Amino acid sequence: MWFGRHSVPAGIDLASVGSVVTIGAYDGLHIGHEVVLDKVRSEARRYGARSVVMSFEPTPKEFFAGEYGSQRLMSFRQRFIRLRDLDVDLFFCPRFDTQLANESARSFVRHWLVDVLHCRHIVVGDDFRYGRQRAGTFDTLTSAGRDFGFTVERTESVCKDGERVSSTAIRAALQAGDLGLAERLLGRSFAIEGRVRHGKKLGRTLGYPTANLAVRRRLCPPHGIYAVTVNGAGLTNHAGVASLGTRPTVDDHGQVLLEVHLFDIERDLYGERLEVSLRGFLRAEEKFASLDLLVAQMNEDEKTAREILAAAGVCAQ
């Protein structure tokens, strides 16, 4: 797996073998995306070419709406790792800026698809648009392909349980607290990834040491307590319980944190990267009148989380 920004890495020669390309935000990399990527990989094998996912950073929605205009389902790092695991050869991600936003559809094809990526075949979704003011369509791309020597294929939307699979539908499910629907559309549990940061260490004094991750601009499901599994720093699907929210009982700053308590283990995880999968919703966030009441509820939360995870076949170690 290679990563490129504005130019193709020296170690991957597209000029001689060409590429099969798909373009999009690919936020969440859900089961609909995986159908497209299956087609990209199979066509790349048929052409003897490289498989390429072309995306943008920031996303066009973020560029036009501002940093908080679009909440991501996954971090850039999660997206890269997931594409690597899906056996994509190249993740090509130019910076989306004013110049790129103003590039005409024709110029976009000639520069990026032809000159940079040496595209031989392109696979796009049924709602694909490109170029200035989204003027480029499947028809204009097909026409450009005839001029520049590549072919174009359109994939239809994937439906699951009567629901069109899309990043928008997954965001709506998560915001509504429907983890089950989000998991069915994603094909896996929704996960938040980040580096463990120092906190006030209050959890340690209460008997519940936590690893704290900042949520930042990623999509935030309802604040509350969740049964979770944790990967990273040598952990594999390790069971735990997590608080997602602003800690109203002990904090008045309002910063959203994900605080994870790992079951049956205590380790120094500061600076480590963890991916925390939300496996079940226990209760909404609330403010308690005292720390004693908070600890009593945390004891109940741990029991409930263990029951949920045990039913799902997850053990603490």
Side-chain angles (χ1 to χ4, degrees):
M1 173 66 170
W2 298 78
F3 168 71
R5 191 187 295 281
H6 286 298
S7 61
V8 175
I12 185 166
D13 180 15
L14 296 184
S16 61
V17 299
S19 67
V20 174
V21 181
T22 185
I23 306 171
Y26 281 90
D27 186 25
L29 284 167
H30 51 63
I31 59 175
H33 290 144
E34 292 187 20
V35 170
V36 177
L37 295 177
D38 283 344
K39 175 61 68 172
V40 169
R41 289 193 304 268
S42 65
E43 290 298 297
R45 289 192 295 269
R46 187 168 73 87
Y47 279 93
R50 301 283 192 171
S51 58
V52 177
V53 170
M54 182 178 182
S55 192
F56 305 98
E57 185 69 23
T59 66
K61 283 185 178 179
E62 288 172 340
F63 177 81
F64 289 112
E67 181 180 358
Y68 298 100
S70 177
Q71 293 181 305
R72 300 188 185 194
L73 292 171
M74 63 195 329
S75 68
F76 184 90
R77 184 174 184 273
Q78 281 177 296
R79 197 165 33 143
F80 174 84
I81 291 173
R82 183 65 179 162
L83 287 170
R84 181 194 64 191
D85 292 344
L86 291 170
D87 294 325
V88 171
D89 291 324
L90 174 64
F91 180 30
F92 184 63
C93 192
R95 176 158 295 280
F96 195 87
D97 53 18
T98 301
Q99 180 177 347
L100 203 156
N102 288 325
E103 197 165 23
S104 70
R106 182 78 172 179
S107 175
F108 177 88
V109 170
R110 184 176 59 250
H111 174 63
W112 296 107
L113 298 182
V114 177
D115 293 344
V116 175
L117 296 179
H118 302 278
C119 178
R120 299 175 65 183
H121 185 71
I122 182 166
V123 183
V124 296
D126 55 7
D127 58 352
F128 179 68
R129 296 290 186 275
Y130 65 100
R132 184 172 56 241
Q133 297 181 336
R134 293 169 53 85
T137 65
F138 177 79
D139 290 337
T140 63
L141 187 61
T142 302
S143 176
R146 287 193 290 268
D147 295 339
F148 291 112
F150 61 83
T151 51
V152 185
E153 179 178 357
R154 176 163 53 192
T155 60
E156 299 301 322
S157 295
V158 173
C159 291
K160 180 74 171 180
D161 300 332
E163 177 88 41
R164 179 181 180 273
V165 180
S166 69
S167 299
T168 299
I170 295 167
R171 290 188 189 97
L174 289 169
Q175 288 169 338
D178 193 340
L179 292 181
L181 176 58
E183 182 169 335
R184 290 193 295 276
L185 300 181
L186 280 167
R188 63 192 184 282
S189 299
F190 174 71
I192 297 173
E193 180 265 354
R195 193 178 297 278
V196 178
R197 50 177 289 178
H198 285 277
K200 294 182 178 180
K201 299 178 175 61
L202 179 61
R204 189 180 306 275
T205 67
L206 300 178
Y208 283 91
T210 59
N212 302 334
L213 284 67
V215 176
R216 295 192 174 93
R217 65 181 176 182
R218 276 160 281 179
L219 180 136
C220 188
H223 291 181
I225 310 303
Y226 292 84
V228 302
T229 52
V230 179
N231 287 281
L235 303 171
T236 302
N237 291 330
H238 194 98
V241 62
S243 169
L244 175 64
T246 58
R247 306 182 298 175
T249 304
V250 298
D251 198 347
D252 59 1
H253 296 297
Q255 182 183 16
V256 178
L257 289 176
L258 181 64
E259 298 178 290
V260 185
H261 172 67
L262 299 168
F263 293 153
D264 307 323
I265 187 174
E266 187 169 349
R267 284 180 49 190
D268 181 356
L269 294 170
Y270 293 121
E272 298 280 6
R273 282 196 172 273
L274 300 179
E275 185 173 69
V276 182
S277 298
L278 307 187
R279 305 294 296 270
F281 181 75
L282 277 62
R283 62 175 177 85
E285 183 178 57
E286 58 183 300
K287 184 172 183 177
F288 293 89
S290 70
L291 290 181
D292 287 340
L293 291 174
L294 172 61
V295 172
Q297 183 59 59
M298 292 167 71
N299 292 335
E300 292 301 315
D301 293 339
E302 177 180 349
K303 292 178 184 176
T304 305
R306 286 183 182 272
E307 290 171 358
I308 290 173
L309 294 171
V314 177
C315 297
Q317 298 186 29

